[in-house]
Amino acid sequence: MFPTDVAAGPVLRADDLDPRTPVLIGVGQSSERPEDDGYAALSPVELAAAASREALADAGATGGAGAGAAAPRGIAATRQFENSVPVTQAPFGRSTNLPRSVATRIGADPARAVLAPTGGTSPQQLITEFAGEIAAGRARAVLITGAEAGSTVRHLQRAGQSRDWSEDPGGQLEDRGYGLRGLISQRAVQHGMTGTIVQYAVLENARRARRGLSKAEGLAEMGALFDRFSAVAAENPHAVVREHLDAATLTTVDDRNRLVATPYPRFMIARDMVNQGAAAVLTSIEEARRLGVPEDRWVFLHGHAAIAEADMFARPDLDAPGAQIAVRAALEMAGVGVDDVDWFDFYSCYPIAVLNVIDQLGIALDDPRGLTVTGGLPFFGGPGNNYSLHPVVEIVHRARRERDGVGLVGANGGSLSKYAVGVYSARPAVWSAGDSARLQAEYDQRPLARLTDHPEGWASIDTYTVQHAATGRTAIVVARLDDGRRFVANAVPGDDALLDQLDGPEESVGVRVFARHVGPTNVVALDAATVEAFAPRPPGAWRSDYEHADVRREGHVVEIALRADALGGPAHRELSEVFDAFEADRDAWVAVLSGPAGGSFCRGEDPAQAFSGAPPATGVGGLSRRRLTKPVIAAIEGDAVGTGLEIALAATLIVVADDARLALDHITRARYAEHGGVARLAHRLPAALVADLAITGRAITGEDAVRYGLASRLAPSGSARKVARELAAEIATHSPTAVRVNLEVLADARSMSEVDAVAYVSASYDDITFTDDGWEAGLAPGEGRDPVWRNR
């Protein structure tokens, strides 16, 4: 309830408010289960339309045409599962314009149709957004809706039946795209974290350990939490699971409740195979009165806020404190505190989504007000991006019955990746646009964890999960190296010792593991020998012959000539071995990398080897992710395009023929230069020029490359290799120790301001002073001879 003290101020009446103040006037839900009487196997569009019709009728409009008078001028819909990521398919087809398909069924012709991006925050963010549009006079009545019919799809497929749910209503659609940035990352996908179950399991274990709970205590806490959620769902006619599952049932692993991913048995996971729809109608006060909607139907949005998290691996404690920041901001806007809220619904796809928020707000797990009004996603059901519209419906009904009551909906998206909050009451309130942008900007200033994708050595486990499938157990571990850098890894396949530790009763967070980068992924084990047996370190020795390059030595200079001007996975991996050997050989001081004799430097990837495996840890050409300690010179004749240019840019120096062509042409294949091309150009060229090259894919000449500073020397056509050899020979006359130190100081200086770089004293200077080469530099002139460098 609202505070009753004098400081809270006088109670407003609707007549005191701006007529453009937004109000919710109608809400509705629809649902069906295959086992229910009257089951009709409705499509998502039909479920959304049924909920929308109920919402329009719920408004109680009396303005001439009855409920139809409230037909919205705008319809915004949440995305369905089958349209939430690019690779998903709709088995029975789908509408090309869901908002207008719904509009057709409810007799509306909206001027604006919107399809929201992916994420469980969508319903609340749509309500907040269109409340603002109404308050600004840009909209009068908006319907927000969405639905899922996954249960029907599964039911019909199991029965060998099909439906045709495809339709194309035409008309305008503002499709806002998938919006997946921040919800998934390449490092997560590479390590098998493609589903939310493993992502949340990793976060759940991190929170439990940080709270000082044992594995058994953590399981009991999750069971106690969801026992109460299940009890609410058992009384909800729209719930999927109307059986009360108590804590003992929820935490006991058996054939019905198998372990999916540590610590989650099946019953603690959101049930997304549901048939559920929900809708809400939002208008201005002025429009509500015009439609004849009684004031006792009106519910106001008193407070709102939204915030987005950092990449899950970069979060300092791997939880998401931004959620409570958004909750507190929304409550402050509403002029109430946590203790004043009568009804909560915290998004509950997994226990941590609730526990993470109530931890930080000081709300007890057994708070008598309850933490859900629906029963939560594992029991009420998880209709994808649309779930949070259902608790809005429930809270609107409660607010109408208790006019001074306050309800809070917390909507979550991704892996605790974003959070949106709405505070609702039937008590009239002045609309506030809020300041979530400022909130976000301030939140983004917090320090984040340092990450690495190439760990090597001992580390301590931050969190983990073990996936249990019919094919066996696999593990995902998030750990920190001793220098504080965090990484994600998989357990070495078949390493039962680590799997047993993670699955066992003893604490696993803090356990020491040995890590190594292998191909695109990282692996860990309890001992270095297991990792070494699975992925031996390259020996760093020259081979007598190579398949993809000609390697020859002349003094201290190594020449590496590619045998083909298009490369695949095997070539990249072999070149990594070549440069490993170059780095390990104390008598190899400079390398020259060129294309095949008489051909181009490199035209990029070989399409015939598109599926020949990922590049090695050191990147394409064995260079793009390598921090060189010795100079490598790229000699460019002909074309250096795509991946070829990325390899050249990773070299220390570039010698280029005047008629050579250089281009990052990835854009022509709907790609980007993921191996460092754009990133390196951004450090070396003006921003406008980099943008031009990156988004057109146009080529520049060798003369351009020298003029822009990408290449250091220009050679006549056909003589780039000759000039590169001469340059290498010149460098080889100097102390290799001094060359290495200069390269290290240059690399350090690039990350500093000019003033800091000048004042910086590199530890590498000791290598000049206290090495054989350092002494030789002083002795040789005094003895009247040329120095003899030993690279030590």
Side-chain angles (χ1 to χ4, degrees):
M1 296 290 178
F2 281 90
T4 57
D5 60 300
V6 176
V11 176
L12 293 173
R13 296 178 304 122
D15 291 342
D16 300 325
L17 301 177
D18 185 321
R20 295 181 300 181
T21 300
V23 288
L24 285 164
I25 62 167
V27 291
Q29 296 182 84
S30 62
S31 64
E32 61 174 359
R33 300 184 303 176
E35 64 268 32
D36 292 342
D37 292 338
Y39 173 63
L42 299 176
S43 71
V45 168
E46 291 164 338
L47 285 164
S52 299
R53 282 191 291 268
E54 182 176 300
L56 292 170
D58 176 68
T62 60
R73 278 70 167 177
I75 299 182
T78 57
R79 250 179 160 75
Q80 300 157 251
F81 273 129
E82 59 201 27
N83 190 25
S84 289
V85 293
V87 296
T88 52
Q89 298 294 320
F92 300 160
R94 63 173 179 249
S95 171
T96 60
N97 191 332
L98 189 141
R100 292 196 179 277
S101 289
V102 171
T104 299
R105 286 165 172 79
I106 64 173
D109 184 18
R112 185 181 182 190
V114 174
L115 186 63
T118 301
T121 57
S122 293
Q124 182 55 54
Q125 289 186 298
L126 287 172
I127 289 172
T128 300
E129 175 189 349
F130 284 100
E133 291 288 290
I134 288 168
R138 292 187 291 268
R140 290 193 300 173
V142 177
L143 171 71
I144 295 163
T145 190
E148 292 287 347
S151 175
T152 285
V153 171
R154 182 177 61 183
H155 174 73
L156 293 177
Q157 286 182 321
R158 286 176 175 175
Q161 300 179 35
S162 184
R163 293 288 190 276
D164 183 5
W165 289 346
S166 57
E167 56 183 277
D168 182 10
Q172 169 272 343
L173 176 65
E174 184 182 322
D175 187 338
R176 295 180 174 178
Y178 299 113
L180 298 177
R181 176 171 290 186
L183 303 190
I184 191 66
S185 67
Q186 186 175 15
R187 63 171 58 91
V189 171
Q190 287 173 336
H191 290 88
M193 297 180 70
T194 53
T196 60
I197 296 174
V198 292
Q199 294 167 12
Y200 275 90
V202 161
L203 298 174
E204 195 85 57
N205 282 320
R207 175 209 167 258
R208 173 194 55 74
R210 184 174 55 79
R211 298 278 292 183
L213 301 177
S214 68
K215 293 179 180 179
E217 290 168 336
L219 182 62
E221 181 186 50
M222 294 190 299
L225 173 74
F226 275 173
D227 181 324
R228 292 170 172 81
F229 276 62
S230 178
V232 174
E235 303 299 322
N236 189 333
H238 290 290
V240 175
V241 182
R242 298 175 201 167
E243 168 194 3
H244 178 205
L245 304 177
D246 62 18
T249 303
L250 292 170
T251 58
T252 300
V253 175
D254 54 26
D255 291 343
R256 186 179 173 214
N257 189 32
R258 68 179 181 85
L259 189 61
V260 180
T262 309
Y264 295 144
R266 173 176 165 264
F267 289 161
M268 291 194 186
I269 294 169
R271 292 175 184 257
D272 51 18
M273 290 291 105
V274 300
N275 304 318
Q276 293 171 328
V281 181
L282 193 63
T283 73
S284 65
I285 285 177
E286 181 178 44
E287 182 70 2
R289 285 186 170 137
R290 188 187 72 80
L291 295 169
V293 178
E295 286 192 28
D296 64 6
R297 314 305 289 165
W298 301 0
V299 172
F300 295 79
L301 181 59
H302 281 243
H304 57 86
I307 204 161
E309 278 291 345
D311 177 279
M312 67 178 291
F313 301 113
R315 300 171 197 166
D317 292 315
L318 286 168
D319 57 6
Q324 64 94 8
I325 292 174
V327 171
R328 292 189 188 280
L331 290 173
E332 181 180 358
M333 183 187 296
V336 296
V338 171
D339 292 341
D340 300 315
V341 178
D342 298 278
W343 316 293
F344 293 106
D345 195 275
F346 293 114
Y347 201 94
S348 53
C349 49
Y350 302 90
I352 188 176
V354 181
L355 296 170
N356 172 63
V357 185
I358 66 172
D359 284 349
Q360 298 165 19
L361 294 175
I363 301 173
L365 184 148
D366 59 354
D367 190 297
R369 294 171 292 181
L371 304 175
T372 179
V373 295
T374 65
L377 285 85
F379 313 106
F380 167 80
N385 303 310
N386 202 53
Y387 166 77
S388 288
L389 198 49
H390 290 270
V392 170
V393 173
E394 293 287 346
I395 283 176
V396 165
H397 288 315
R398 295 187 184 201
R400 288 168 174 169
R401 292 193 298 267
E402 298 182 39
R403 308 288 302 170
D404 284 331
V406 179
L408 184 146
V409 174
N412 168 74
S415 300
L416 306 184
S417 305
K418 50 187 179 179
Y419 210 78
V421 183
V423 179
Y424 297 90
S425 177
R427 178 186 283 204
V430 175
W431 163 254
S432 173
D435 198 0
S436 288
R438 177 192 56 79
L439 202 69
Q440 186 70 56
E442 292 175 354
Y443 189 55
D444 288 343
Q445 299 306 307
R446 73 198 189 286
L448 300 176
R450 292 186 299 134
L451 305 179
T452 179
D453 291 319
H454 299 86
E456 174 72 28
W458 287 99
S460 298
I461 294 177
D462 272 357
T463 187
Y464 64 93
T465 189
V466 178
Q467 299 178 82
H468 293 255
T471 54
R473 296 183 298 171
T474 56
I476 294 166
V477 170
V478 179
R480 287 183 193 251
L481 295 168
D482 290 342
D483 65 6
R485 289 178 298 154
R486 183 185 281 156
F487 63 92
V488 60
N490 298 120
V492 169
D495 181 14
D496 287 335
L498 178 55
L499 292 170
D500 290 344
Q501 162 65 49
L502 300 177
D503 256 349
E506 300 301 317
E507 183 56 77
S508 299
V509 172
V511 167
R512 300 283 284 171
V513 289
F514 191 84
R516 176 164 293 167
H517 182 79
V518 182
T521 62
N522 306 314
V523 296
V524 291
L526 291 174
D527 59 87
T530 300
V531 173
E532 185 66 29
F534 175 72
R537 280 186 65 81
W542 296 106
R543 284 164 33 189
S544 59
D545 187 39
Y546 293 93
E547 180 182 354
H548 301 283
D550 293 311
V551 180
R552 73 184 187 93
R553 181 86 161 267
E554 187 170 333
H556 296 299
V557 176
V558 176
E559 292 191 34
I560 305 160
L562 303 175
R563 288 182 176 170
D565 61 8
L567 306 179
H572 294 306
R573 291 190 285 275
E574 185 178 86
L575 286 168
S576 184
E577 292 181 30
V578 170
F579 283 109
D580 283 342
F582 169 64
E583 290 277 357
D585 189 340
R586 297 181 69 88
D587 289 325
W589 296 355
V590 189
V592 174
L593 177 64
S594 63
S600 287
F601 176 78
C602 180
R603 291 193 171 98
E605 296 293 321
D606 182 355
Q609 300 186 59
F611 301 101
S612 57
T618 51
V620 291
L623 283 179
S624 65
R625 287 176 175 254
R626 185 188 296 269
R627 178 160 178 165
L628 291 166
T629 62
K630 303 177 183 182
V632 173
I633 303 168
I636 298 179
E637 296 278 2
D639 290 347
V641 298
T643 302
L645 180 54
E646 292 185 281
I647 294 170
L649 290 172
T652 315
L653 299 169
I654 296 176
V655 174
V656 62
D658 53 14
D659 60 350
R661 292 177 63 255
L662 291 76
L664 289 180
D665 65 347
H666 304 72
I667 193 73
T668 63
R669 300 183 299 282
R671 305 287 294 174
Y672 82 104
E674 62 183 302
H675 300 296
V678 171
R680 285 191 162 97
L681 287 185
H683 280 275
R684 303 178 192 182
L685 298 178
L689 179 57
V690 175
D692 185 325
L693 298 177
I695 65 176
T696 66
R698 74 176 177 89
I700 61 172
T701 66
E703 289 185 349
D704 292 332
V706 173
R707 185 169 73 255
Y708 296 153
L710 287 182
S712 62
R713 304 204 179 186
L714 186 67
S717 178
S719 62
R721 295 174 186 82
K722 175 176 178 294
V723 173
R725 291 188 196 108
E726 293 170 351
L727 176 57
E730 178 185 347
I731 293 170
T733 65
H734 302 300
S735 161
T737 303
V739 171
R740 174 175 59 80
V741 168
N742 274 275
L743 290 177
E744 289 174 353
V745 173
L746 280 169
D748 291 339
R750 288 192 187 102
S751 64
M752 304 178 189
S753 69
E754 183 176 345
V755 172
D756 289 342
V758 170
Y760 176 63
V761 178
S762 172
S764 301
Y765 287 132
D766 290 345
D767 290 344
I768 292 179
T769 307
F770 303 111
T771 60
D772 288 353
D773 281 3
W775 288 106
E776 178 68 3
L779 290 173
E783 295 176 359
R785 60 179 176 80
D786 292 334
V788 178
W789 308 121
R790 294 178 174 82
N791 194 22
R792 59 180 185 268

